[in-house]
Amino acid sequence: TVSYNADGNPLNERLAYVGQDLFASGQAMGQKILSLVKPGGKIAIFIATPGSGNIQPRVDGAKAVIGNKLTIDVVATGAAIAQEASTIDSYYQGHKSINGLFAVDGGSTWYTGVTSKKYGLHAKGIASGGFDLQPGTLDAISSGDMDFTIDQQPYQQGFLPIFYLWLYKLSGGLQSPSTTNTGLKFVTSANIAGYRSPSYFEGAPKTK
């Protein structure tokens, strides 16, 4: 087997892992947050399911970088979309002096953007950002309601495990799958246009 997106137990019998260095991606987010929020401020980091192998390391990485420079509330939003939306909205309603709202999973990031737009948070100086490429997240960046999201290269994560296993089987096990760090890219207003282009997504014109 080849694991992708999350690698909860690197010592298991999988042949390789294809995905982000999750802790390092959290560290990168932490550095980005520090560039957006002044020292002494307070932020929230939303996480759908605390302890999950593919998102908890991002929280841990961000906290390791931020240290005591900011006060951090880590808020569980739940795995259901409706619960994520209501939790993030309610959190802001109860913490209007917050300086930043951030998330480490796709759903929570999406609804962080929705909350930012709903209450005009960017105009109030409240920063926001997170992970993944949900259309609503890209909309929020395009409209200026979210500062960033992190692209973890999901297309590589979907394609490479299949390709590696095909080569492994074709070669009778001689071509072993390679552990691959798919890295990260910050998506901001500076490069959002490329992500909105039809050629980037599944709606791209098909070649013959």
Coordinates of all heavy atoms in Angstrom, one line a residue, residues 74-113:
V74 N -7.6 27.2 20.3 CA -7.8 26.1 19.3 C -9.2 25.6 19.5 O -9.6 25.2 20.6 CB -6.8 24.9 19.6 CG1 -7.1 23.8 18.6 CG2 -5.3 25.4 19.4
V75 N -10.0 25.7 18.4 CA -11.4 25.5 18.5 C -11.8 24.3 17.6 O -11.6 24.3 16.4 CB -12.2 26.7 18.1 CG1 -13.7 26.5 18.2 CG2 -11.8 27.9 18.9
A76 N -12.4 23.3 18.2 CA -12.9 22.1 17.4 C -14.2 22.5 16.7 O -15.1 23.0 17.4 CB -13.1 20.9 18.3
T77 N -14.3 22.3 15.4 CA -15.5 22.6 14.7 C -16.4 21.5 14.3 O -17.5 21.6 13.9 CB -15.1 23.4 13.4 OG1 -14.2 22.6 12.6 CG2 -14.4 24.7 13.7
G78 N -15.8 20.2 14.3 CA -16.6 19.1 14.0 C -16.5 18.7 12.5 O -16.1 19.6 11.7
A79 N -16.8 17.5 12.2 CA -16.6 17.0 10.8 C -17.7 17.4 9.9 O -17.6 17.3 8.6 CB -16.4 15.5 10.8
A80 N -18.9 17.7 10.4 CA -20.0 18.1 9.5 C -20.0 19.5 9.1 O -19.7 20.4 9.9 CB -21.3 17.8 10.3
I81 N -20.3 19.8 7.8 CA -20.2 21.1 7.3 C -21.0 22.1 8.1 O -20.6 23.2 8.4 CB -20.6 21.1 5.8 CG1 -19.5 20.4 5.0 CG2 -20.8 22.5 5.3 CD1 -18.2 21.1 4.9
A82 N -22.3 21.7 8.3 CA -23.2 22.6 9.0 C -22.7 23.0 10.4 O -22.8 24.1 10.9 CB -24.6 22.0 9.1
Q83 N -22.1 22.0 11.1 CA -21.5 22.3 12.4 C -20.3 23.2 12.3 O -20.1 24.1 13.2 CB -21.1 21.0 13.1 CG -20.6 21.1 14.5 CD -20.2 19.8 15.1 OE1 -20.4 18.7 14.5 NE2 -19.6 19.9 16.3
E84 N -19.5 23.0 11.3 CA -18.3 23.9 11.1 C -18.8 25.3 10.9 O -18.2 26.3 11.6 CB -17.5 23.4 9.9 CG -16.7 22.1 10.2 CD -15.9 21.7 8.9 OE1 -16.5 21.7 7.8 OE2 -14.8 21.3 9.1
A85 N -19.8 25.5 10.1 CA -20.3 26.9 9.8 C -20.8 27.5 11.0 O -20.4 28.7 11.3 CB -21.3 26.8 8.7
S86 N -21.6 26.8 11.8 CA -22.2 27.5 13.0 C -21.2 27.7 14.1 O -21.3 28.7 14.8 CB -23.4 26.6 13.5 OG -22.9 25.3 13.9
T87 N -20.2 26.8 14.2 CA -19.2 26.9 15.3 C -18.4 28.2 15.0 O -18.1 28.9 16.0 CB -18.4 25.7 15.4 OG1 -19.2 24.6 15.7 CG2 -17.3 25.8 16.4
I88 N -17.9 28.3 13.8 CA -17.1 29.5 13.5 C -17.8 30.8 13.6 O -17.3 31.8 14.2 CB -16.5 29.3 12.1 CG1 -15.5 28.1 12.1 CG2 -15.7 30.6 11.6 CD1 -15.1 27.6 10.7
D89 N -19.0 30.8 13.1 CA -19.9 32.0 13.2 C -20.1 32.4 14.7 O -19.9 33.5 15.1 CB -21.2 31.8 12.5 CG -22.0 33.1 12.4 OD1 -22.5 33.6 13.4 OD2 -22.2 33.6 11.2
S90 N -20.4 31.4 15.5 CA -20.7 31.6 16.9 C -19.4 32.0 17.7 O -19.5 32.9 18.6 CB -21.3 30.3 17.6 OG -22.5 30.0 17.0
Y91 N -18.3 31.4 17.3 CA -17.1 31.8 17.9 C -16.8 33.3 17.7 O -16.5 34.0 18.7 CB -15.9 31.0 17.4 CG -14.6 31.5 18.1 CD1 -14.2 30.9 19.3 CD2 -13.8 32.5 17.5 CE1 -13.0 31.4 19.9 CE2 -12.6 32.9 18.1 CZ -12.3 32.4 19.3 OH -11.1 32.8 19.9
Y92 N -16.9 33.8 16.5 CA -16.7 35.2 16.2 C -17.7 36.1 17.0 O -17.3 37.1 17.6 CB -16.8 35.5 14.7 CG -16.7 37.0 14.5 CD1 -15.5 37.7 14.8 CD2 -17.8 37.7 14.2 CE1 -15.5 39.1 14.7 CE2 -17.8 39.1 14.0 CZ -16.6 39.8 14.3 OH -16.6 41.2 14.2
Q93 N -18.9 35.7 17.0 CA -19.9 36.5 17.8 C -19.5 36.6 19.2 O -19.8 37.7 19.8 CB -21.3 35.8 17.7 CG -21.9 35.9 16.3 CD -22.3 37.3 15.9 OE1 -22.6 38.1 16.7 NE2 -22.1 37.6 14.6
G94 N -18.9 35.6 19.8 CA -18.5 35.7 21.2 C -17.1 36.3 21.4 O -16.6 36.4 22.6
H95 N -16.3 36.6 20.3 CA -14.9 37.0 20.4 C -14.7 38.1 19.4 O -13.8 38.0 18.6 CB -14.0 35.9 20.2 CG -14.2 34.7 21.2 ND1 -15.1 33.8 21.1 CD2 -13.5 34.4 22.4 CE1 -15.0 32.9 22.1 NE2 -14.1 33.3 22.9
K96 N -15.4 39.2 19.5 CA -15.3 40.2 18.4 C -14.0 41.0 18.5 O -13.7 41.8 17.6 CB -16.5 41.1 18.5 CG -17.8 40.4 18.0 CD -19.0 41.3 17.9 CE -20.2 40.6 17.3 NZ -21.4 41.4 17.1
S97 N -13.3 40.9 19.6 CA -12.0 41.6 19.7 C -10.8 40.7 19.1 O -9.7 41.1 19.3 CB -11.7 41.9 21.2 OG -11.6 40.8 22.0
I98 N -11.2 39.6 18.5 CA -10.1 38.7 18.0 C -9.3 39.4 16.9 O -9.9 40.3 16.2 CB -10.8 37.4 17.4 CG1 -9.8 36.3 17.3 CG2 -11.5 37.7 16.1 CD1 -9.5 35.6 18.6
N99 N -8.1 39.0 16.7 CA -7.2 39.6 15.7 C -7.0 38.8 14.4 O -6.5 39.2 13.4 CB -5.9 40.0 16.2 CG -6.0 40.9 17.4 OD1 -5.7 40.5 18.6 ND2 -6.4 42.1 17.2
G100 N -7.4 37.5 14.5 CA -7.3 36.6 13.4 C -8.0 35.3 13.5 O -8.1 34.8 14.6
L101 N -8.6 34.8 12.4 CA -9.3 33.5 12.4 C -8.6 32.7 11.3 O -8.5 33.0 10.2 CB -10.7 33.7 12.0 CG -11.6 34.6 12.9 CD1 -13.0 34.8 12.4 CD2 -11.7 34.1 14.3
F102 N -8.1 31.5 11.8 CA -7.4 30.6 10.9 C -7.9 29.2 11.0 O -8.5 28.9 12.0 CB -5.9 30.7 11.1 CG -5.4 32.1 11.0 CD1 -5.3 32.9 12.1 CD2 -5.0 32.6 9.8 CE1 -4.8 34.2 12.0 CE2 -4.6 34.0 9.7 CZ -4.5 34.8 10.8
A103 N -7.6 28.3 10.1 CA -8.1 27.0 10.1 C -7.1 26.0 9.5 O -6.2 26.4 8.6 CB -9.4 26.9 9.4
V104 N -7.2 24.7 9.8 CA -6.2 23.8 9.3 C -6.8 22.7 8.5 O -6.1 21.7 8.1 CB -5.4 23.1 10.5 CG1 -4.5 24.2 11.2 CG2 -6.3 22.4 11.5
D105 N -8.1 22.8 8.2 CA -8.8 21.8 7.3 C -9.6 22.5 6.3 O -10.0 23.7 6.5 CB -9.6 20.8 8.1 CG -10.7 21.5 8.9 OD1 -10.5 21.9 10.1 OD2 -11.9 21.6 8.4
G106 N -10.0 21.9 5.2 CA -10.7 22.5 4.1 C -12.0 23.1 4.5 O -12.3 24.3 4.1
G107 N -12.8 22.3 5.2 CA -14.2 22.8 5.6 C -14.1 24.0 6.5 O -14.8 25.0 6.3
S108 N -13.3 23.9 7.5 CA -13.2 25.1 8.5 C -12.6 26.3 7.8 O -13.0 27.4 8.1 CB -12.3 24.7 9.6 OG -12.9 23.6 10.4
T109 N -11.7 26.1 6.9 CA -11.2 27.2 6.1 C -12.2 27.9 5.3 O -12.4 29.2 5.3 CB -10.0 26.8 5.2 OG1 -8.9 26.3 6.0 CG2 -9.4 28.0 4.4
W110 N -13.0 27.1 4.6 CA -14.1 27.6 3.8 C -15.0 28.5 4.6 O -15.3 29.7 4.2 CB -14.9 26.4 3.2 CG -16.0 26.8 2.3 CD1 -16.5 28.0 2.0 CD2 -16.8 25.8 1.6 NE1 -17.6 27.9 1.1 CE2 -17.8 26.5 0.9 CE3 -16.8 24.4 1.5 CZ2 -18.7 25.9 0.1 CZ3 -17.7 23.8 0.7 CH2 -18.7 24.5 0.0
Y111 N -15.4 28.0 5.8 CA -16.4 28.8 6.6 C -15.8 29.9 7.4 O -16.4 30.8 7.8 CB -17.2 27.8 7.4 CG -18.3 27.2 6.5 CD1 -18.1 25.9 6.0 CD2 -19.4 27.9 6.1 CE1 -19.0 25.3 5.2 CE2 -20.3 27.3 5.2 CZ -20.1 26.1 4.8 OH -21.0 25.5 3.9
T112 N -14.4 29.9 7.5 CA -13.8 31.0 8.0 C -13.9 32.2 7.0 O -14.2 33.3 7.4 CB -12.3 30.7 8.3 OG1 -12.2 29.8 9.3 CG2 -11.5 32.0 8.7
G113 N -13.7 31.9 5.8 CA -13.9 32.9 4.7 C -15.3 33.4 4.6 O -15.6 34.6 4.5

